[in-house]
Amino acid sequence: MADVEDIDIGDGKSDKDKAAPASAADVDDFSPTPAMEEILVNFLVRMSFLTGEAKDREMVALHQRAVTLLKKSLRTWPHVNIKFAFIEKLLASAKNGAEDATRTLPTGLGIFNIALECGVTKFVSGNAPQLAQMLEPCFESRRKSTHDALAKALARAMFPANKPLAGAVEDESGRPVPPAEAKLLQNKLDELCAKHVASAITGNPALPNVQAPNPSLACVLACIAALAERQRRIVDQYLPHLIKLLSRLTHELNAASAAGAVPQQQPARALPGQSPAVPVPDYGSVAHCMAACVRLIASRVIPAGGEHKQLFLRMLLQLINDQATHGAVLMATLDALKGWAEDAVAGAPPGAVGAAAAIPAGLVKPKPEPGADGEKAAGDDDDAKDGDDDDEDGAKQTPTPKGGKTGPTGAKLKPGEKEKDVANKDADDDGNVDVEVKEEPADDAKGEGEEGADDGDKKPPSTPSVDPASPDPNRPGSLSAKETVLFLSKLAHLTRMGREVTQTAEWEEKLLGTLYALCAAEGHHDMALRQEVFSKVERNHLLGLRSRRPDLHGKFFKLYDGAVGNSLFHRLQYILAGQEWDAMADTFWLKQGLDLILSTLADEDHITLAPNSAQCPPLLPVNPTDPKAEPPKPPEKKPSGYGTPNEKTAEMLARHAAFMTKIGALRVKDLVGPLREVATRNAHMSYYLWVLIYPIVWATLQREEQMQLAKPMIALLSKEYHQRQAAVRPNVVQALLQGISLSQPQPKIPSELIKFLGKTYNAWHIAVALLENHVVRYPQEARCFDALAELYRLLGERDALVGLWRQRCNSDVTRAGLALTQHGHWQEANDVFFRGMQRASAGQVTGVTKTELCLWETNWLNSAKQLNQWELVADFSRSVEHTEMQLNSLWRMNDWVGLKDLLPQSPATSEVEE
């Protein structure tokens, strides 16, 4: 089928005449009358409806062509009268024939949006009954595209972008009122919204997280959200119903979760090398409706204040604490908290409600809407445009300036700041947006206007006027300091628990960006709020230091670096006692402490070798001005031509000289900077550097400072959260013990603690070295010997254990018995230990400790076992009532009856006997 543009109308001219350029008089000869314009446009409207229901390929192409021509016609003739009554017939026939009207709705909504986009005058007022009749079938539709098109059309019709600023109307309560021609649409929309919301509140809605979507409710929320984008205060009239709806859904979710009726969510599998994505609920599902409710309520509930705010905050806490809450709802909660935190950047008192939560309207410049006076936002093809600016004459459109030198309030911005619309525009993901609200005198209006204009454009001075129908200048409001800390702590706890949505890049970027904006000094927050958020949220959960993103990690590390003193003592005290590392206990968190220590180095100093390193003596005196230094001897005269280097030698010397110059210019930061980056990501490198640097730092401390850090070191080693790293190699306990063992003087650590740490965290040989040092330094403490002997025994170091006891024992029986045992003379050793035990029982041995007597008994039993004297072992076990030893000896003697009597009776053994 041929396109409309390819049809030859037949104007009677030859091809030669057609090729010749037409004069201006010929072009202006014909101009269609208003009646002709109306006939053409309405023909295209009817053709769009007729071809929109077809599925044939050619008819689909014809439909697209008809819509394109209709759009061009309406831009050319914006004052034409469109007759939209044809859709009324189509909807009535579909209703009477019990047919599906979903094929007619997309075409009708498309024409609706095109007419509003092209600025057709009197379209809404002339077709209001037909447009209102189309709303109910749209609400009953199950298609998301239909709902989105309806929401966009209603927003454009009720709050047109090209509406004059002076024509906006507000009711007695200050809420915006749509134009008079859209009154019928507003009434019909309110009626349908009330109907479907009441049905969801009082009726039998879908159970939480069960696949039973409610598209009608989703359509209601989509329409309200579209209206709120153009006029945020429109949400106020729906706020009580939205609160009730969210309360009902939250209650049912908690009840279903407590009963275990909520199915487990199956997270989508991410591709290798990609981070998981935020879960997207089905359109119209309960999770989708809850997320939409949270976003809508959060935009206006803080200024409303009262019981609505408290009820909403309690519901958010319930949703955060419930394990069955969908990830999309949690993300909506984070978006709400992010908006409240960014709103606090404006400098208004936190937690303010009502009138105190709004920036004065006279200080806010309304955000320019595309389509007003020929302006068009970049990348937005759906916004309204003026038809005169879209002709093919190539007229230039003035783009909306972004990131200019003036802020949205007319105040000057600092260098590096980004423009922020206080009402409608979200800040960057990092949350670092600084907006300075200043009341400028009227004389400065001209300077501000010229500063914000494009180059070469001179605008007359004017006072910014505010239109209530334009984007709402009111702030979304901000929470109080206590509420902010509470919600941040809850969301940070969710992140530590490892919920699926918290592992996504979007969640990390938003949460950490919000947290950094509240903690950083660049923001306009009070010092008290910054300190409270940093100490109660970031330091408790360590979200910034745990981040895998280098940019976020670097930002938060600067906060820690500025919060800790610069001396090595203060840094080490913070690492050992000032910070609780429970949140990072599953990682090698000492790399953060190492980074704090290395950050105190003088980065701009030259790199020098250690005094004890191998160095060649200098050819010339190091200090030429030193009077004691001998002056350099003049070089001996050589014959001409002697010692002249060839080209290769000269080139080599030049390269070496350039290399030496380059190396000599290196600074400490050139060497330490890469080491810090590698150590932050590599636990083995961090372990090596900590063991190397800690003894050096310890040696630089004063004696009093070392004594102050001894007890915090013991308390840190005793922390229970180290158990989460017990199976990791290397772990923090190994690094701490190794650093202590190489330090001089060594702090005194309890021997029992060293023994436990050595056994539990695979630090056997490090603990043995520490205890051997303790044995030498504290020879009078028996517990050091006992702990070291226990480690020797567990490691099977028999010879080392014998040597330790030979140094410690007070009796010749011990020396003789251990020597015989060491060489395998079991019978002689058995006799020696047995005689010693007899003498000790008779009281004939003095000066022998109880530990040494236990050693005799243990070695006597061991020698008896080696000699297979199980009868002797069995008699001894009966006398001391040692059941395990008795069982071991009975089965070796084949005494099965005695073994059966000794085994405990249980239902399991009775079943085996039967």
Side-chain angles (χ1 to χ4, degrees):
M1 180 179 294
D3 294 338
V4 175
E5 293 181 351
D6 298 335
I7 299 176
D8 189 2
I9 301 177
D11 53 359
K13 296 182 181 180
S14 62
D15 296 339
K16 184 177 180 180
D17 296 335
K18 292 180 180 179
S23 62
D26 294 335
V27 173
D28 297 334
D29 280 345
F30 177 76
S31 179
T33 62
M36 297 175 65
E37 295 173 358
E38 182 176 343
I39 292 173
L40 288 174
V41 169
N42 285 288
F43 170 77
L44 292 175
V45 170
R46 182 168 300 215
M47 182 60 66
S48 300
F49 277 113
L50 294 177
T51 57
E53 300 182 3
K55 296 183 179 180
D56 187 38
R57 185 175 181 180
E58 295 181 354
M59 297 299 290
V60 171
L62 182 59
H63 171 73
Q64 295 176 355
R65 184 61 178 167
V67 173
T68 304
L69 291 175
L70 176 62
K71 192 171 186 179
K72 291 182 179 180
S73 302
L74 292 179
R75 287 179 178 175
T76 307
W77 308 313
H79 301 288
V80 70
N81 184 22
I82 300 178
K83 297 180 180 179
F84 213 55
F86 187 68
I87 192 174
E88 188 176 358
K89 299 178 181 179
L90 295 177
L91 294 176
S93 62
K95 183 177 181 181
N96 296 332
E99 298 177 359
D100 188 8
T102 55
R103 296 181 182 179
T104 306
L105 296 177
T107 305
L109 293 173
I111 297 174
F112 193 179
N113 278 290
I114 290 174
L116 295 174
E117 178 183 347
C118 298
V120 178
T121 58
K122 298 182 180 180
F123 173 76
V124 177
S125 59
N127 301 282
Q130 291 78 17
L131 296 176
Q133 186 180 359
M134 190 174 56
L135 295 184
E136 188 169 0
C138 290
F139 273 76
E140 296 175 356
S141 175
R142 306 182 68 87
R143 294 183 179 180
K144 182 178 183 297
S145 58
T146 302
H147 297 165
D148 293 340
L150 174 64
K152 183 187 298 184
L154 290 176
R156 287 174 169 173
M158 294 184 182
F159 302 105
N162 56 358
K163 188 72 176 176
L165 294 179
V169 182
E170 293 184 356
D171 58 8
E172 297 178 355
S173 60
R175 296 173 181 172
V177 177
E181 59 268 17
K183 189 66 176 178
L184 183 60
L185 288 178
Q186 176 70 38
N187 295 336
K188 186 65 175 180
L189 177 63
D190 293 342
E191 178 186 347
L192 292 174
C193 290
K195 171 185 174 182
H196 291 286
V197 172
S199 176
I201 294 175
T202 61
N204 186 19
L207 292 177
N209 292 332
V210 177
Q211 299 300 329
N214 189 350
S216 299
L217 185 59
C219 182
V220 172
L221 299 174
C223 292
I224 299 177
L227 295 177
E229 288 181 1
R230 296 194 170 231
Q231 183 53 265
R232 183 176 296 171
R233 285 175 293 177
I234 199 68
V235 181
D236 294 348
Q237 66 188 58
Y238 301 102
L239 195 60
H241 303 287
L242 294 175
I243 291 287
K244 292 180 181 179
L245 176 61
L246 184 61
S247 176
R248 172 66 185 274
L249 296 177
T250 304
H251 175 73
E252 291 189 356
L253 175 64
N254 293 335
S257 177
V262 180
Q264 295 293 331
Q265 303 174 18
Q266 298 296 332
R269 294 184 179 181
L271 297 177
Q274 294 182 357
S275 60
V278 179
V280 179
D282 293 338
Y283 182 73
S285 63
V286 174
H288 175 270
C289 295
M290 292 179 72
C293 280
V294 169
R295 289 188 174 92
L296 286 174
I297 298 173
S299 65
R300 292 297 297 169
V301 71
I302 299 299
E307 59 181 6
H308 287 164
K309 173 188 173 182
Q310 299 301 326
L311 180 59
F312 179 62
L313 295 182
R314 284 198 298 268
M315 286 189 291
L316 288 185
L317 290 177
Q318 293 178 9
L319 292 174
I320 294 174
N321 295 330
D322 199 329
Q323 294 293 328
T325 304
H326 197 277
V329 181
L330 297 177
M331 183 61 71
T333 305
L334 177 58
D335 290 337
L337 183 62
K338 181 175 180 289
W340 294 332
E342 289 174 351
D343 180 79
V345 178
V353 297
I359 295 177
L363 298 180
V364 182
K365 291 182 180 179
K367 184 179 178 182
E369 289 290 333
D373 299 331
E375 292 183 353
K376 176 182 178 182
D380 189 2
D381 296 336
D382 296 330
D383 288 342
K385 303 175 246 181
D386 191 357
D388 297 334
D389 291 337
D390 293 329
D391 293 337
E392 298 177 358
D393 58 355
K396 295 183 180 180
Q397 296 177 352
T398 304
T400 302
K402 293 185 179 180
K405 295 182 180 180
T406 57
T409 62
K412 295 182 179 180
L413 299 181
K414 298 179 181 178
E417 288 181 336
K418 297 182 179 179
E419 183 179 353
K420 175 185 176 185
D421 184 7
V422 182
N424 290 343
K425 185 174 181 181
D426 291 333
D428 291 341
D429 292 335
D430 60 354
N432 189 7
V433 180
D434 299 339
V435 179
E436 219 176 324
V437 181
K438 298 180 180 179
E439 294 191 13
E440 300 280 349
D443 296 336
D444 296 339
K446 179 178 180 180
E448 291 181 3
E450 292 176 354
E451 193 175 9
D454 293 338
D455 295 339
D457 294 341
K458 299 295 183 179
K459 296 184 179 180
S462 60
T463 302
S465 59
V466 178
D467 179 21
S470 64
D472 186 22
N474 287 346
R475 300 164 50 224
S478 59
L479 299 177
S480 64
K482 182 178 180 180
E483 294 167 343
T484 301
V485 171
L486 174 62
F487 276 93
L488 282 175
S489 300
K490 291 290 185 180
L491 295 178
H493 182 67
L494 275 183
T495 306
R496 288 180 58 182
M497 291 173 58
R499 293 284 297 272
E500 293 82 9
V501 68
T502 62
Q503 306 305 311
T504 60
E506 183 180 353
W507 177 279
E508 181 183 20
E509 191 171 358
K510 289 182 178 180
L511 180 59
L512 294 187
T514 303
L515 185 58
Y516 179 77
L518 291 171
C519 297
E522 294 85 356
H524 290 176
H525 303 282
D526 295 336
M527 178 63 71
L529 176 62
R530 299 208 313 263
Q531 292 179 351
E532 189 171 6
V533 172
F534 181 71
S535 61
K536 294 185 178 181
V537 181
E538 170 56 28
R539 286 189 57 179
N540 283 348
H541 301 279
L542 300 173
L543 296 180
L545 295 183
R546 293 178 59 190
S547 175
R548 296 180 180 270
R549 291 182 50 179
D551 55 342
L552 291 176
H553 180 274
K555 288 181 179 180
F556 280 93
F557 179 78
K558 290 181 181 178
L559 296 179
Y560 285 90
D561 188 42
V564 186
N566 291 327
S567 66
L568 291 176
F569 169 72
H570 289 102
R571 295 292 168 112
L572 200 58
Q573 186 182 40
Y574 179 82
I575 297 169
L576 301 180
Q579 176 62 46
E580 190 69 28
W581 301 99
D582 186 16
M584 297 184 69
D586 54 343
T587 62
F588 191 82
W589 53 262
L590 268 182
K591 56 189 177 183
Q592 313 298 340
L594 177 67
D595 207 8
L596 283 174
I597 294 177
L598 293 178
S599 63
T600 61
L601 296 176
D603 292 342
E604 298 299 330
D605 290 355
H606 287 279
I607 299 176
T608 57
L609 295 177
N612 58 352
S613 61
Q615 301 183 37
C616 295
L619 296 178
L620 298 176
V622 178
N623 188 6
T625 61
D626 189 1
K628 298 182 180 180
E630 298 181 0
K633 298 179 180 180
E636 299 179 0
K637 293 183 179 181
K638 302 294 181 180
S640 60
Y642 179 82
T644 303
N646 55 22
E647 295 181 359
K648 292 185 178 180
T649 305
E651 183 181 357
M652 181 189 69
L653 292 176
R655 288 199 309 268
H656 184 68
F659 170 75
M660 295 299 294
T661 304
K662 180 180 178 181
I663 296 301
L666 290 179
R667 308 286 180 175
V668 173
K669 63 181 180 181
D670 299 323
L671 176 63
V672 177
L675 281 178
R676 289 173 59 184
E677 292 183 6
V678 175
T680 305
R681 293 162 178 79
N682 192 317
H684 293 277
M685 178 63 74
S686 302
Y687 178 89
Y688 174 79
L689 289 177
W690 177 266
V691 172
L692 179 67
I693 292 175
Y694 178 81
I696 301 175
V697 175
W698 183 263
T700 60
L701 301 180
Q702 300 294 330
R703 180 62 179 172
E704 294 78 8
E705 295 174 343
Q706 293 177 350
M707 295 177 63
Q708 291 181 28
L709 294 178
K711 289 185 177 180
M713 175 65 76
I714 297 173
L716 178 62
L717 291 172
S718 305
K719 295 293 184 180
E720 187 177 357
Y721 57 73
H722 293 310
Q723 294 280 355
R724 280 181 270 171
Q725 253 204 333
V728 181
R729 305 291 181 268
N731 54 54
V732 173
V733 174
Q734 289 177 342
L736 291 175
L737 290 179
Q738 184 73 14
I740 293 173
S741 66
L742 299 177
S743 301
Q744 294 297 332
Q746 285 186 6
K748 184 179 180 182
I749 309 297
S751 303
E752 295 83 358
L753 178 60
I754 297 178
K755 179 184 71 173
F756 170 78
L757 296 176
K759 294 189 301 181
T760 308
Y761 299 98
N762 196 29
W764 298 91
H765 298 287
I766 302 174
V768 166
L770 276 172
L771 290 175
E772 287 176 348
N773 185 282
H774 279 41
V775 167
V776 175
R777 292 175 58 191
Y778 313 106
Q780 304 301 325
E781 293 190 8
R783 58 179 187 173
C784 297
F785 285 92
D786 296 338
L788 183 58
E790 177 69 12
L791 290 182
Y792 281 153
R793 184 185 66 81
L794 294 175
L795 289 173
E797 295 287 350
R798 185 69 184 175
D799 294 337
L801 180 61
V802 170
L804 180 65
W805 272 108
R806 288 173 65 87
Q807 179 184 356
R808 178 188 179 187
C809 63
N810 298 324
S811 174
D812 294 336
V813 174
T814 306
R815 297 188 182 91
L818 291 177
L820 293 172
T821 302
Q822 190 175 12
H823 291 82
H825 300 288
W826 301 109
Q827 186 61 54
E828 291 81 356
N830 186 285
D831 296 339
V832 169
F833 285 120
F834 185 72
R835 287 195 297 269
M837 292 168 59
Q838 285 182 333
R839 293 176 56 192
S841 300
Q844 301 176 0
V845 177
T846 58
V848 180
T849 61
K850 184 177 181 180
T851 305
E852 194 169 352
L853 291 176
C854 293
L855 176 68
W856 292 357
E857 183 178 294
T858 302
N859 282 273
W860 174 73
L861 286 174
N862 186 32
S863 60
K865 293 177 183 179
Q866 295 292 336
L867 297 171
N868 285 331
Q869 297 176 356
W870 297 107
E871 294 85 357
L872 184 62
V873 175
D875 294 340
F876 177 79
S877 60
R878 290 192 192 96
S879 62
V880 297
E881 296 183 355
H882 198 296
T883 306
E884 183 179 357
M885 187 185 302
Q886 191 174 357
L887 289 172
N888 191 23
S889 59
L890 287 177
W891 77 265
R892 291 180 181 273
M893 294 187 303
N894 296 331
D895 189 359
W896 307 112
V897 177
L899 185 64
K900 178 182 177 182
D901 297 338
L902 194 61
L903 287 174
Q905 294 293 330
S906 64
T909 56
S910 301
E911 293 179 2
V912 172
E913 291 176 357
E914 294 177 358

